[in-house]
Amino acid sequence: VQLQASGGGLVQAGGSLRLPCTASRRIYSSAVVGWFRQAPGKEREFVAAIRWGSGIRYYEDSVRGRFTISKVSADNTVYLQMNSLKPDDAAVYYCGMGVQYGTTQDAYDYWGQGTLVTVSS
């Protein structure tokens, strides 16, 4: 399966962006889709994830309440709605898909190419 992440761009602090992650085929109910981000000079870190079948959602503490992960089954797409963006949120955002939930990269088997989010202060 291929994942296509998009929606990145330049936004002012306090603004919003929505990042879609679309799969090239139907996503099975056992799948977990996650979003990670990587800022320059830093390791890739977990942001949020959703279980495709149950819709259960997980968030990293620094984004909880500001970011929302959701899915549209018919479109094989997971969205990351990012509100109240801060300069610290600036990074390349990646979506990944696997069969188990995890907050580390090795829990996910497939990855999109990444989309750049820049937040100006």
Side-chain angles (χ1 to χ4, degrees):
V1 62
Q2 294 181 334
L3 300 177
Q4 179 74 36
S6 61
L10 172 64
V11 64
Q12 289 187 332
S16 298
L17 281 175
R18 187 178 75 157
L19 308 181
C21 172
T22 301
S24 59
R25 60 153 173 81
R26 183 174 70 92
I27 299 177
Y28 299 122
S29 61
S30 58
V32 178
V33 180
W35 281 97
F36 284 68
R37 64 187 179 188
Q38 188 167 19
K42 296 186 177 181
E43 294 186 353
R44 192 173 299 190
E45 65 175 5
F46 172 78
V47 175
I50 186 167
R51 291 188 182 272
W52 192 259
S54 66
I56 294 174
R57 308 172 189 184
Y58 307 88
Y59 295 98
E60 193 273 330
D61 286 346
S62 70
V63 307
R64 186 176 288 112
R66 299 188 298 122
F67 291 11
T68 302
I69 189 168
S70 63
K71 65 183 179 77
V72 177
S73 298
D75 296 339
N76 298 316
T77 299
V78 170
Y79 293 96
L80 184 67
Q81 177 68 43
M82 306 187 295
N83 298 329
S84 303
L85 282 161
K86 305 175 181 179
D88 284 349
D89 294 319
V92 177
Y93 282 70
Y94 298 89
C95 61
M97 187 169 73
V99 295
Q100 60 180 356
Y101 165 67
T103 59
T104 58
Q105 296 181 68
D106 57 7
Y108 300 84
D109 303 307
Y110 304 97
W111 290 93
Q113 83 288 1
T115 185
L116 177 63
V117 172
T118 304
V119 183
S120 63
S121 57

